Amino acid sequence: MICHPSLTDISRIKEIWMECFGDDEETVDFYLKTCFSLEDCFVSKSNDKVEAVIQMIPCRIIDGNNEYIAKYMYAVCTDPLLQGRGIMSSLINEACEIEKRNGTDAVLCIPANKGLFDFYYKFGFVDGIYSSSVKSLRNELKNDLTECLYNCNTKITDFNLLRNTVLKDRLFVSFPDKYMKLCKGFEYSFCWSEDFYCIFNCDNDTVFIADCYWIDENAKKKMNYCLLNETSLNQFVFNFPSDNANTLKGVIKYLKDDFLNKRQLYLGIKME
């Protein structure tokens, strides 16, 4: 049976999540406390026991003055002992059909690895989510910066509004405030001013800027100043939208017409 879960299913959902992804209890509890809702989750059950789970995070695709209702498929997992039996395939198909009947325009997915792209193609997903990825060294950024005042507090409502404003001329995905809190919960840092924003974390000697944009070249130089000020690491990897993005990030299933017409959609931060 495919349905929305009940409150009594949450402990089982948590168990499958931790077994499949290796996340610790604190990480899963943070999501469940901050973002989880029964109506945005689909499960497959047998004998009243959850066997597979999909979270459908509500979001909007912004295309200038046009907005489309979308869902971001997240934490897609099947009990490891039951994998390979077509349970998840049935769940994805039925969940997308239910979303279509409910008026959703598209479902988005960022496969966990390249090998999973072929899995999602089977359900009608197509390539569509892209970003540009560029590596820079600290000395290179030092030669291309402008001193500025910037903000590093974590008032998500203000940050999210600024992100949507800076990206307004791009084709992008906008998330509700509560889901942006996941970034902070998963140890991302935030920097922004009136004309740029960036979300980043650090690993070994590298700063990974998972989501960023700037309105002009001077704003980009201000962002560089912010990053150099906030970190002491040597290497920086930027992910950002551009007209000819070089990195395929994810797939889209159109539940109505292909309203993007092969244009590149920018999702930005992955909820991970």
Side-chain angles (χ1 to χ4, degrees), residues 86-117:
I87 297 171
M88 181 54 70
S89 296
S90 297
L91 181 54
I92 290 173
N93 279 326
E94 182 63 20
C96 288
E97 282 301 312
I98 293 171
E99 289 293 343
K100 182 178 181 178
R101 292 197 296 269
N102 290 340
T104 301
D105 295 300
V107 174
L108 316 176
C109 182
I110 307 295
N113 57 65
K114 290 183 179 179
L116 285 175
F117 277 80

PDB file of all heavy atoms in Angstrom, residues 86-117:
ATOM      1  N   GLY A  86      11.534  -3.812  -6.602  1.00  0.00           N
ATOM      2  CA  GLY A  86      10.622  -2.912  -7.303  1.00  0.00           C
ATOM      3  C   GLY A  86       9.747  -2.076  -6.381  1.00  0.00           C
ATOM      4  O   GLY A  86       8.847  -1.373  -6.859  1.00  0.00           O
ATOM      5  N   ILE A  87      10.018  -2.112  -5.084  1.00  0.00           N
ATOM      6  CA  ILE A  87       9.186  -1.362  -4.133  1.00  0.00           C
ATOM      7  C   ILE A  87       9.325   0.137  -4.365  1.00  0.00           C
ATOM      8  O   ILE A  87       8.331   0.870  -4.427  1.00  0.00           O
ATOM      9  CB  ILE A  87       9.556  -1.737  -2.688  1.00  0.00           C
ATOM     10  CG1 ILE A  87       9.255  -3.215  -2.433  1.00  0.00           C
ATOM     11  CG2 ILE A  87       8.796  -0.854  -1.687  1.00  0.00           C
ATOM     12  CD1 ILE A  87       9.786  -3.733  -1.102  1.00  0.00           C
ATOM     13  N   MET A  88      10.571   0.601  -4.498  1.00  0.00           N
ATOM     14  CA  MET A  88      10.779   2.032  -4.712  1.00  0.00           C
ATOM     15  C   MET A  88      10.251   2.470  -6.070  1.00  0.00           C
ATOM     16  O   MET A  88       9.713   3.575  -6.209  1.00  0.00           O
ATOM     17  CB  MET A  88      12.261   2.380  -4.574  1.00  0.00           C
ATOM     18  CG  MET A  88      12.559   3.870  -4.758  1.00  0.00           C
ATOM     19  SD  MET A  88      11.584   4.955  -3.672  1.00  0.00           S
ATOM     20  CE  MET A  88      12.334   4.578  -2.082  1.00  0.00           C
ATOM     21  N   SER A  89      10.388   1.640  -7.084  1.00  0.00           N
ATOM     22  CA  SER A  89       9.871   1.991  -8.413  1.00  0.00           C
ATOM     23  C   SER A  89       8.365   2.268  -8.348  1.00  0.00           C
ATOM     24  O   SER A  89       7.875   3.268  -8.885  1.00  0.00           O
ATOM     25  CB  SER A  89      10.153   0.871  -9.411  1.00  0.00           C
ATOM     26  OG  SER A  89      11.533   0.688  -9.600  1.00  0.00           O
ATOM     27  N   SER A  90       7.646   1.402  -7.678  1.00  0.00           N
ATOM     28  CA  SER A  90       6.197   1.597  -7.537  1.00  0.00           C
ATOM     29  C   SER A  90       5.892   2.848  -6.733  1.00  0.00           C
ATOM     30  O   SER A  90       4.954   3.596  -7.048  1.00  0.00           O
ATOM     31  CB  SER A  90       5.567   0.380  -6.862  1.00  0.00           C
ATOM     32  OG  SER A  90       5.727  -0.774  -7.656  1.00  0.00           O
ATOM     33  N   LEU A  91       6.695   3.104  -5.699  1.00  0.00           N
ATOM     34  CA  LEU A  91       6.463   4.270  -4.848  1.00  0.00           C
ATOM     35  C   LEU A  91       6.696   5.566  -5.621  1.00  0.00           C
ATOM     36  O   LEU A  91       5.902   6.514  -5.521  1.00  0.00           O
ATOM     37  CB  LEU A  91       7.368   4.202  -3.623  1.00  0.00           C
ATOM     38  CG  LEU A  91       7.254   5.341  -2.605  1.00  0.00           C
ATOM     39  CD1 LEU A  91       5.827   5.530  -2.134  1.00  0.00           C
ATOM     40  CD2 LEU A  91       8.190   5.093  -1.418  1.00  0.00           C
ATOM     41  N   ILE A  92       7.768   5.630  -6.405  1.00  0.00           N
ATOM     42  CA  ILE A  92       8.049   6.835  -7.193  1.00  0.00           C
ATOM     43  C   ILE A  92       6.927   7.087  -8.191  1.00  0.00           C
ATOM     44  O   ILE A  92       6.421   8.218  -8.313  1.00  0.00           O
ATOM     45  CB  ILE A  92       9.407   6.716  -7.912  1.00  0.00           C
ATOM     46  CG1 ILE A  92      10.555   6.772  -6.906  1.00  0.00           C
ATOM     47  CG2 ILE A  92       9.566   7.831  -8.952  1.00  0.00           C
ATOM     48  CD1 ILE A  92      11.919   6.495  -7.505  1.00  0.00           C
ATOM     49  N   ASN A  93       6.529   6.064  -8.908  1.00  0.00           N
ATOM     50  CA  ASN A  93       5.464   6.231  -9.910  1.00  0.00           C
ATOM     51  C   ASN A  93       4.166   6.715  -9.274  1.00  0.00           C
ATOM     52  O   ASN A  93       3.527   7.652  -9.770  1.00  0.00           O
ATOM     53  CB  ASN A  93       5.223   4.905 -10.645  1.00  0.00           C
ATOM     54  CG  ASN A  93       6.229   4.658 -11.751  1.00  0.00           C
ATOM     55  OD1 ASN A  93       6.690   5.591 -12.407  1.00  0.00           O
ATOM     56  ND2 ASN A  93       6.579   3.404 -11.963  1.00  0.00           N
ATOM     57  N   GLU A  94       3.769   6.105  -8.181  1.00  0.00           N
ATOM     58  CA  GLU A  94       2.493   6.460  -7.551  1.00  0.00           C
ATOM     59  C   GLU A  94       2.572   7.839  -6.903  1.00  0.00           C
ATOM     60  O   GLU A  94       1.621   8.637  -6.991  1.00  0.00           O
ATOM     61  CB  GLU A  94       2.113   5.405  -6.506  1.00  0.00           C
ATOM     62  CG  GLU A  94       0.769   5.666  -5.837  1.00  0.00           C
ATOM     63  CD  GLU A  94      -0.407   5.635  -6.803  1.00  0.00           C
ATOM     64  OE1 GLU A  94      -0.262   5.043  -7.898  1.00  0.00           O
ATOM     65  OE2 GLU A  94      -1.462   6.209  -6.469  1.00  0.00           O
ATOM     66  N   ALA A  95       3.695   8.151  -6.249  1.00  0.00           N
ATOM     67  CA  ALA A  95       3.844   9.459  -5.616  1.00  0.00           C
ATOM     68  C   ALA A  95       3.768  10.575  -6.655  1.00  0.00           C
ATOM     69  O   ALA A  95       3.129  11.613  -6.428  1.00  0.00           O
ATOM     70  CB  ALA A  95       5.161   9.529  -4.848  1.00  0.00           C
ATOM     71  N   CYS A  96       4.405  10.361  -7.806  1.00  0.00           N
ATOM     72  CA  CYS A  96       4.355  11.380  -8.866  1.00  0.00           C
ATOM     73  C   CYS A  96       2.936  11.520  -9.421  1.00  0.00           C
ATOM     74  O   CYS A  96       2.494  12.640  -9.746  1.00  0.00           O
ATOM     75  CB  CYS A  96       5.339  11.024  -9.975  1.00  0.00           C
ATOM     76  SG  CYS A  96       7.082  11.252  -9.520  1.00  0.00           S
ATOM     77  N   GLU A  97       2.204  10.430  -9.543  1.00  0.00           N
ATOM     78  CA  GLU A  97       0.815  10.499 -10.010  1.00  0.00           C
ATOM     79  C   GLU A  97      -0.059  11.272  -9.026  1.00  0.00           C
ATOM     80  O   GLU A  97      -0.910  12.079  -9.419  1.00  0.00           O
ATOM     81  CB  GLU A  97       0.263   9.093 -10.228  1.00  0.00           C
ATOM     82  CG  GLU A  97       0.718   8.441 -11.516  1.00  0.00           C
ATOM     83  CD  GLU A  97       0.318   9.247 -12.746  1.00  0.00           C
ATOM     84  OE1 GLU A  97      -0.862   9.646 -12.841  1.00  0.00           O
ATOM     85  OE2 GLU A  97       1.189   9.495 -13.594  1.00  0.00           O
ATOM     86  N   ILE A  98       0.145  11.033  -7.751  1.00  0.00           N
ATOM     87  CA  ILE A  98      -0.625  11.760  -6.726  1.00  0.00           C
ATOM     88  C   ILE A  98      -0.288  13.248  -6.783  1.00  0.00           C
ATOM     89  O   ILE A  98      -1.181  14.109  -6.712  1.00  0.00           O
ATOM     90  CB  ILE A  98      -0.338  11.184  -5.330  1.00  0.00           C
ATOM     91  CG1 ILE A  98      -0.899   9.766  -5.229  1.00  0.00           C
ATOM     92  CG2 ILE A  98      -0.948  12.075  -4.243  1.00  0.00           C
ATOM     93  CD1 ILE A  98      -0.476   9.026  -3.967  1.00  0.00           C
ATOM     94  N   GLU A  99       0.998  13.564  -6.919  1.00  0.00           N
ATOM     95  CA  GLU A  99       1.401  14.971  -7.017  1.00  0.00           C
ATOM     96  C   GLU A  99       0.780  15.637  -8.243  1.00  0.00           C
ATOM     97  O   GLU A  99       0.341  16.785  -8.192  1.00  0.00           O
ATOM     98  CB  GLU A  99       2.926  15.090  -7.060  1.00  0.00           C
ATOM     99  CG  GLU A  99       3.628  14.763  -5.752  1.00  0.00           C
ATOM    100  CD  GLU A  99       3.332  15.758  -4.650  1.00  0.00           C
ATOM    101  OE1 GLU A  99       2.843  16.882  -4.946  1.00  0.00           O
ATOM    102  OE2 GLU A  99       3.594  15.435  -3.480  1.00  0.00           O
ATOM    103  N   LYS A 100       0.725  14.915  -9.349  1.00  0.00           N
ATOM    104  CA  LYS A 100       0.117  15.462 -10.562  1.00  0.00           C
ATOM    105  C   LYS A 100      -1.353  15.785 -10.328  1.00  0.00           C
ATOM    106  O   LYS A 100      -1.835  16.865 -10.710  1.00  0.00           O
ATOM    107  CB  LYS A 100       0.271  14.466 -11.714  1.00  0.00           C
ATOM    108  CG  LYS A 100      -0.296  14.959 -13.042  1.00  0.00           C
ATOM    109  CD  LYS A 100      -0.052  13.932 -14.142  1.00  0.00           C
ATOM    110  CE  LYS A 100      -0.601  14.421 -15.484  1.00  0.00           C
ATOM    111  NZ  LYS A 100      -0.324  13.442 -16.569  1.00  0.00           N
ATOM    112  N   ARG A 101      -2.077  14.880  -9.687  1.00  0.00           N
ATOM    113  CA  ARG A 101      -3.488  15.122  -9.402  1.00  0.00           C
ATOM    114  C   ARG A 101      -3.684  16.290  -8.445  1.00  0.00           C
ATOM    115  O   ARG A 101      -4.707  16.980  -8.481  1.00  0.00           O
ATOM    116  CB  ARG A 101      -4.121  13.857  -8.811  1.00  0.00           C
ATOM    117  CG  ARG A 101      -4.220  12.693  -9.798  1.00  0.00           C
ATOM    118  CD  ARG A 101      -5.195  11.644  -9.324  1.00  0.00           C
ATOM    119  NE  ARG A 101      -4.789  11.004  -8.078  1.00  0.00           N
ATOM    120  CZ  ARG A 101      -4.055   9.896  -8.022  1.00  0.00           C
ATOM    121  NH1 ARG A 101      -3.637   9.310  -9.139  1.00  0.00           N
ATOM    122  NH2 ARG A 101      -3.750   9.361  -6.851  1.00  0.00           N
ATOM    123  N   ASN A 102      -2.678  16.526  -7.604  1.00  0.00           N
ATOM    124  CA  ASN A 102      -2.759  17.625  -6.634  1.00  0.00           C
ATOM    125  C   ASN A 102      -2.306  18.962  -7.195  1.00  0.00           C
ATOM    126  O   ASN A 102      -2.259  19.953  -6.471  1.00  0.00           O
ATOM    127  CB  ASN A 102      -1.945  17.276  -5.386  1.00  0.00           C
ATOM    128  CG  ASN A 102      -2.573  16.174  -4.575  1.00  0.00           C
ATOM    129  OD1 ASN A 102      -3.769  15.890  -4.702  1.00  0.00           O
ATOM    130  ND2 ASN A 102      -1.785  15.529  -3.721  1.00  0.00           N
ATOM    131  N   GLY A 103      -1.929  18.980  -8.478  1.00  0.00           N
ATOM    132  CA  GLY A 103      -1.598  20.246  -9.116  1.00  0.00           C
ATOM    133  C   GLY A 103      -0.128  20.588  -9.188  1.00  0.00           C
ATOM    134  O   GLY A 103       0.240  21.689  -9.625  1.00  0.00           O
ATOM    135  N   THR A 104       0.746  19.676  -8.785  1.00  0.00           N
ATOM    136  CA  THR A 104       2.183  19.918  -8.878  1.00  0.00           C
ATOM    137  C   THR A 104       2.613  19.916 -10.343  1.00  0.00           C
ATOM    138  O   THR A 104       2.182  19.075 -11.126  1.00  0.00           O
ATOM    139  CB  THR A 104       2.959  18.845  -8.090  1.00  0.00           C
ATOM    140  OG1 THR A 104       2.540  18.881  -6.724  1.00  0.00           O
ATOM    141  CG2 THR A 104       4.458  19.078  -8.164  1.00  0.00           C
ATOM    142  N   ASP A 105       3.478  20.866 -10.711  1.00  0.00           N
ATOM    143  CA  ASP A 105       3.926  20.991 -12.102  1.00  0.00           C
ATOM    144  C   ASP A 105       5.131  20.105 -12.426  1.00  0.00           C
ATOM    145  O   ASP A 105       5.292  19.666 -13.568  1.00  0.00           O
ATOM    146  CB  ASP A 105       4.287  22.448 -12.401  1.00  0.00           C
ATOM    147  CG  ASP A 105       3.081  23.366 -12.327  1.00  0.00           C
ATOM    148  OD1 ASP A 105       2.131  23.150 -13.093  1.00  0.00           O
ATOM    149  OD2 ASP A 105       3.082  24.292 -11.493  1.00  0.00           O
ATOM    150  N   ALA A 106       6.009  19.881 -11.430  1.00  0.00           N
ATOM    151  CA  ALA A 106       7.229  19.119 -11.702  1.00  0.00           C
ATOM    152  C   ALA A 106       7.788  18.550 -10.403  1.00  0.00           C
ATOM    153  O   ALA A 106       7.579  19.107  -9.322  1.00  0.00           O
ATOM    154  CB  ALA A 106       8.273  19.997 -12.386  1.00  0.00           C
ATOM    155  N   VAL A 107       8.499  17.438 -10.538  1.00  0.00           N
ATOM    156  CA  VAL A 107       9.222  16.839  -9.415  1.00  0.00           C
ATOM    157  C   VAL A 107      10.708  16.896  -9.748  1.00  0.00           C
ATOM    158  O   VAL A 107      11.124  16.555 -10.858  1.00  0.00           O
ATOM    159  CB  VAL A 107       8.778  15.381  -9.173  1.00  0.00           C
ATOM    160  CG1 VAL A 107       9.639  14.735  -8.089  1.00  0.00           C
ATOM    161  CG2 VAL A 107       7.304  15.338  -8.782  1.00  0.00           C
ATOM    162  N   LEU A 108      11.518  17.320  -8.779  1.00  0.00           N
ATOM    163  CA  LEU A 108      12.957  17.492  -8.959  1.00  0.00           C
ATOM    164  C   LEU A 108      13.707  16.450  -8.141  1.00  0.00           C
ATOM    165  O   LEU A 108      13.243  16.041  -7.070  1.00  0.00           O
ATOM    166  CB  LEU A 108      13.396  18.884  -8.507  1.00  0.00           C
ATOM    167  CG  LEU A 108      12.512  20.066  -8.929  1.00  0.00           C
ATOM    168  CD1 LEU A 108      13.033  21.349  -8.309  1.00  0.00           C
ATOM    169  CD2 LEU A 108      12.442  20.176 -10.440  1.00  0.00           C
ATOM    170  N   CYS A 109      14.864  16.057  -8.613  1.00  0.00           N
ATOM    171  CA  CYS A 109      15.664  15.086  -7.867  1.00  0.00           C
ATOM    172  C   CYS A 109      17.143  15.305  -8.160  1.00  0.00           C
ATOM    173  O   CYS A 109      17.523  15.532  -9.306  1.00  0.00           O
ATOM    174  CB  CYS A 109      15.258  13.654  -8.236  1.00  0.00           C
ATOM    175  SG  CYS A 109      16.163  12.396  -7.315  1.00  0.00           S
ATOM    176  N   ILE A 110      17.959  15.241  -7.110  1.00  0.00           N
ATOM    177  CA  ILE A 110      19.416  15.259  -7.248  1.00  0.00           C
ATOM    178  C   ILE A 110      19.913  13.856  -6.892  1.00  0.00           C
ATOM    179  O   ILE A 110      20.013  13.510  -5.713  1.00  0.00           O
ATOM    180  CB  ILE A 110      20.071  16.290  -6.302  1.00  0.00           C
ATOM    181  CG1 ILE A 110      19.441  17.665  -6.474  1.00  0.00           C
ATOM    182  CG2 ILE A 110      21.576  16.344  -6.542  1.00  0.00           C
ATOM    183  CD1 ILE A 110      19.665  18.295  -7.823  1.00  0.00           C
ATOM    184  N   PRO A 111      20.180  13.001  -7.873  1.00  0.00           N
ATOM    185  CA  PRO A 111      20.635  11.638  -7.563  1.00  0.00           C
ATOM    186  C   PRO A 111      21.910  11.655  -6.719  1.00  0.00           C
ATOM    187  O   PRO A 111      22.777  12.524  -6.892  1.00  0.00           O
ATOM    188  CB  PRO A 111      20.891  11.025  -8.945  1.00  0.00           C
ATOM    189  CG  PRO A 111      19.980  11.804  -9.865  1.00  0.00           C
ATOM    190  CD  PRO A 111      20.005  13.205  -9.326  1.00  0.00           C
ATOM    191  N   ALA A 112      22.005  10.701  -5.811  1.00  0.00           N
ATOM    192  CA  ALA A 112      23.137  10.670  -4.878  1.00  0.00           C
ATOM    193  C   ALA A 112      24.455  10.369  -5.576  1.00  0.00           C
ATOM    194  O   ALA A 112      25.524  10.727  -5.078  1.00  0.00           O
ATOM    195  CB  ALA A 112      22.873   9.632  -3.787  1.00  0.00           C
ATOM    196  N   ASN A 113      24.411   9.713  -6.728  1.00  0.00           N
ATOM    197  CA  ASN A 113      25.623   9.438  -7.491  1.00  0.00           C
ATOM    198  C   ASN A 113      25.260   9.299  -8.971  1.00  0.00           C
ATOM    199  O   ASN A 113      24.085   9.175  -9.334  1.00  0.00           O
ATOM    200  CB  ASN A 113      26.342   8.188  -6.977  1.00  0.00           C
ATOM    201  CG  ASN A 113      25.451   6.961  -7.005  1.00  0.00           C
ATOM    202  OD1 ASN A 113      25.036   6.500  -8.068  1.00  0.00           O
ATOM    203  ND2 ASN A 113      25.141   6.422  -5.814  1.00  0.00           N
ATOM    204  N   LYS A 114      26.273   9.322  -9.822  1.00  0.00           N
ATOM    205  CA  LYS A 114      26.034   9.307 -11.271  1.00  0.00           C
ATOM    206  C   LYS A 114      25.305   8.040 -11.719  1.00  0.00           C
ATOM    207  O   LYS A 114      24.518   8.063 -12.668  1.00  0.00           O
ATOM    208  CB  LYS A 114      27.366   9.441 -12.008  1.00  0.00           C
ATOM    209  CG  LYS A 114      28.008  10.825 -11.877  1.00  0.00           C
ATOM    210  CD  LYS A 114      29.288  10.928 -12.696  1.00  0.00           C
ATOM    211  CE  LYS A 114      29.897  12.324 -12.582  1.00  0.00           C
ATOM    212  NZ  LYS A 114      31.153  12.437 -13.366  1.00  0.00           N
ATOM    213  N   GLY A 115      25.552   6.938 -11.037  1.00  0.00           N
ATOM    214  CA  GLY A 115      24.927   5.697 -11.422  1.00  0.00           C
ATOM    215  C   GLY A 115      23.423   5.697 -11.264  1.00  0.00           C
ATOM    216  O   GLY A 115      22.722   4.907 -11.917  1.00  0.00           O
ATOM    217  N   LEU A 116      22.894   6.583 -10.429  1.00  0.00           N
ATOM    218  CA  LEU A 116      21.454   6.623 -10.183  1.00  0.00           C
ATOM    219  C   LEU A 116      20.683   7.426 -11.231  1.00  0.00           C
ATOM    220  O   LEU A 116      19.455   7.358 -11.259  1.00  0.00           O
ATOM    221  CB  LEU A 116      21.176   7.192  -8.789  1.00  0.00           C
ATOM    222  CG  LEU A 116      21.452   6.243  -7.615  1.00  0.00           C
ATOM    223  CD1 LEU A 116      21.252   6.961  -6.289  1.00  0.00           C
ATOM    224  CD2 LEU A 116      20.547   5.014  -7.692  1.00  0.00           C
ATOM    225  N   PHE A 117      21.375   8.178 -12.076  1.00  0.00           N
ATOM    226  CA  PHE A 117      20.662   8.934 -13.108  1.00  0.00           C
ATOM    227  C   PHE A 117      19.847   7.990 -13.991  1.00  0.00           C
ATOM    228  O   PHE A 117      18.689   8.254 -14.304  1.00  0.00           O
ATOM    229  CB  PHE A 117      21.637   9.756 -13.951  1.00  0.00           C
ATOM    230  CG  PHE A 117      22.001  11.081 -13.327  1.00  0.00           C
ATOM    231  CD1 PHE A 117      22.954  11.161 -12.328  1.00  0.00           C
ATOM    232  CD2 PHE A 117      21.383  12.246 -13.741  1.00  0.00           C
ATOM    233  CE1 PHE A 117      23.293  12.381 -11.753  1.00  0.00           C
ATOM    234  CE2 PHE A 117      21.705  13.477 -13.181  1.00  0.00           C
ATOM    235  CZ  PHE A 117      22.667  13.540 -12.175  1.00  0.00           C
TER     236      PHE A 117
END
